[in-house]
Amino acid sequence: MQSSTHAGRAGRPRSAAADTAILAATREALVDLGWSRLTLGDVAGRAGVAKTTLYRRWAGKNELVVDAVAELFDELRLPDRGSLAADIEGVVLQFAAILARPEAKSGLMAVVAESTRDDALRERIRTSIVERQKRLVLEGRARAQARGELPPETDPAEAARTADLIFDVVAGAVVHRTLVSAQPADGEWVRGFTQVLLWGLASRPAESPAG
Amino acid sequence: MQSSTHAGRAGRPRSAAADTAILAATREALVDLGWSRLTLGDVAGRAGVAKTTLYRRWAGKNELVVDAVAELFDELRLPDRGSLAADIEGVVLQFAAILARPEAKSGLMAVVAESTRDDALRERIRTSIVERQKRLVLEGRARAQARGELPPETDPAEAARTADLIFDVVAGAVVHRTLVSAQPADGEWVRGFTQVLLWGLASRPAESPAG
DNA sequence: CGCTTTCGCTACGAGTCGTAGCGTAATACC
DNA sequence: GGTATTACGCTACGACTCGTAGCGAAAGCG
């Protein structure tokens, strides 16, 4: 999207340090004030830049918060723990830990809400957050198929639909648990969720002993 | 919460018609303006009441929208279609249809976002929306156990945890599909989702032919 | 060194917020 | 029926935020 060096442009380049400071200040303001009370003037003050600088770089509050929150999810990793269930549990716990942070909570849901009436914003969220993390699903599936834990996929279109479905189920469940039910997505919950995701409700539930 | 007849109170009672008009006007404003541009002054104008009347009944925009949106979900029903899979598909499709409406989209997510910093608001959402609809999960489970489709539950605490988990998975997945992925939760998607919910990813995926 | 772009700062009109104050309308109690 | 009590509609208000315009200065590019 935005090349950090501005390539062939003439004139004074935009300060990359200002970008970093502004996004950090945005997260800080989300923690202190939440979404609704967050003002661009406040963020500018925290970041040590002029308010006009913010408006030169971002169209508004929505776009700024999307960029500020997107950085939080880039720390997600898919560690190889030997089994699909363990891999899922690991990444879901990471996701839950990020969602538990106040800057992620109040920011993410608010921009999603706004995106229902702003196609450009929804696309920005998809490209900078959702699609970016869908890699985890694809990689996890590939690993599990190599291990023989999941059947290999025949139709690539069907495989893409399934990946989208998994992402909706995983991300949606964790978000709902954390934000709506307001309960921690801790180890116990994640184990139960993973069991349902892999073997469903109809199978016998206590396949593995308590641990 | 609020008795409609005001029981033993003296003085002029609050107009029930005003309540109805205000909530309807709120949903109308959500459709036209979305969450962020919705103002209480605008709602008052649409409802034909004074702005001060709104502030006398609701603490603010958040509480008003929660009440306006909560009414939308009361139309959810759990029709008996003979099998657990069919029952799930039926209620999920209803839920998706409600979420597809613009007044639900923009309103629900916004108040959830605000509730991350407002305990009273989160509790209001839980009691007037979430807990209210959890009946569907409990009823569906009971029916399926009567049919022998699900194993009977031994520990009541474990059963409650499972019901919460199911609700988080179902509601979360549909919300994520509709609002974040911005794809319709149509019959095809719901069939795939129900298969995963009942039999998991590890079981054979294509039990039923394409339809 | 000039050209170009960004930056910080100030100021501004427009819009919204939530409340106070007033006179009036509608009901409960006696 | 009279009176107390509460809700209602209306107007006005200070405080705040918004997003932009305009200015001089700063920082790279050629």
Side-chain angles (χ1 to χ4, degrees):
Chain A
M1 290 308 159
Q2 46 186 3
S3 59
S4 56
T5 52
H6 286 256
R9 306 257 307 187
R12 175 176 177 176
R14 286 190 172 172
S15 162
D19 253 40
T20 308
I22 290 170
L23 293 177
T26 303
R27 288 188 288 268
E28 188 184 313
L30 279 175
V31 175
D32 292 350
L33 308 172
W35 163 266
S36 57
R37 295 183 188 172
L38 180 147
T39 71
L40 293 199
D42 187 286
V43 171
R46 290 170 188 265
V49 302
K51 191 174 63 164
T52 45
T53 299
L54 279 173
Y55 281 102
R56 288 190 189 103
R57 302 189 182 197
W58 283 276
K61 190 165 145 175
N62 295 330
E63 291 77 7
L64 173 63
V65 172
V66 171
D67 289 3
V69 171
E71 289 185 342
L72 294 174
F73 293 95
D74 280 339
E75 43 185 85
L76 281 174
R77 295 291 178 273
L78 185 64
D80 194 332
R81 296 188 173 187
S83 78
L84 176 56
D87 286 0
I88 292 177
E89 290 181 12
V91 75
V92 167
L93 277 176
Q94 287 182 61
F95 185 49
I98 294 176
L99 265 189
R101 292 159 71 176
E103 64 268 35
K105 279 189 194 174
S106 45
L108 184 63
M109 282 294 96
V111 293
V112 167
E114 287 304 302
S115 75
T116 61
R117 301 192 46 80
D118 184 338
D119 290 342
L121 183 64
R122 173 155 30 80
E123 199 52 32
R124 193 187 191 99
I125 294 175
R126 284 200 348 110
T127 56
S128 59
I129 301 182
V130 182
E131 290 296 330
R132 211 177 166 78
Q133 307 305 335
K134 205 167 276 181
R135 58 185 169 88
L136 300 166
V137 174
L138 300 176
E139 193 179 338
R141 270 178 74 82
R143 272 192 210 164
Q145 288 172 345
R147 292 195 198 103
E149 293 176 294
L150 288 183
E153 38 209 334
T154 55
D155 184 9
E158 174 71 22
R161 272 199 299 272
T162 304
D164 287 350
L165 174 62
I166 294 174
F167 196 80
D168 284 330
V169 171
V170 174
V174 176
V175 167
H176 200 275
R177 167 78 174 178
T178 306
L179 301 190
V180 180
S181 300
Q183 300 288 327
D186 52 14
E188 183 184 352
W189 184 87
V190 171
R191 273 193 294 277
F193 169 72
T194 303
Q195 275 202 357
V196 170
L197 182 63
L198 287 181
W199 297 294
L201 292 170
S203 310
R204 76 207 57 82
E207 184 111 2
S208 61
Chain B
M1 291 305 162
Q2 45 184 5
S3 59
S4 56
T5 51
H6 288 255
R9 306 254 308 186
R12 175 177 178 177
R14 286 190 172 173
S15 162
D19 253 40
T20 308
I22 290 171
L23 293 177
T26 303
R27 288 188 288 269
E28 188 184 313
L30 278 174
V31 174
D32 291 350
L33 307 172
W35 163 266
S36 57
R37 294 184 189 173
L38 179 147
T39 72
L40 293 198
D42 187 285
V43 171
R46 291 170 188 265
V49 302
K51 190 173 63 163
T52 46
T53 298
L54 279 174
Y55 282 102
R56 288 191 189 102
R57 302 189 184 199
W58 284 275
K61 190 165 144 176
N62 294 330
E63 290 78 7
L64 173 63
V65 172
V66 170
D67 289 4
V69 171
E71 289 185 342
L72 294 174
F73 293 94
D74 281 338
E75 43 185 84
L76 280 173
R77 295 291 179 272
L78 185 65
D80 195 332
R81 296 188 173 188
S83 77
L84 176 55
D87 285 0
I88 292 176
E89 290 181 13
V91 75
V92 167
L93 277 175
Q94 286 181 62
F95 185 50
I98 294 176
L99 266 189
R101 292 159 72 175
E103 63 269 35
K105 279 189 196 175
S106 45
L108 184 63
M109 283 292 97
V111 294
V112 168
E114 287 303 303
S115 75
T116 61
R117 301 193 46 84
D118 186 337
D119 290 343
L121 182 63
R122 173 152 30 79
E123 199 51 33
R124 193 188 191 100
I125 294 175
R126 282 199 351 108
T127 56
S128 59
I129 302 181
V130 182
E131 290 297 328
R132 212 177 165 78
Q133 307 306 335
K134 205 166 276 182
R135 59 184 169 88
L136 300 167
V137 174
L138 300 176
E139 194 179 338
R141 269 178 74 82
R143 270 192 211 164
Q145 287 171 346
R147 292 193 197 104
E149 294 177 293
L150 287 183
E153 39 210 333
T154 56
D155 182 10
E158 173 70 24
R161 271 199 300 274
T162 304
D164 288 349
L165 174 62
I166 294 173
F167 195 80
D168 284 330
V169 171
V170 173
V174 176
V175 167
H176 199 276
R177 168 77 175 179
T178 306
L179 301 192
V180 180
S181 299
Q183 300 289 327
D186 52 13
E188 181 184 353
W189 184 87
V190 171
R191 273 192 296 277
F193 169 72
T194 303
Q195 275 203 358
V196 170
L197 182 64
L198 288 181
W199 299 293
L201 291 171
S203 311
R204 77 209 64 82
E207 185 107 4
S208 61

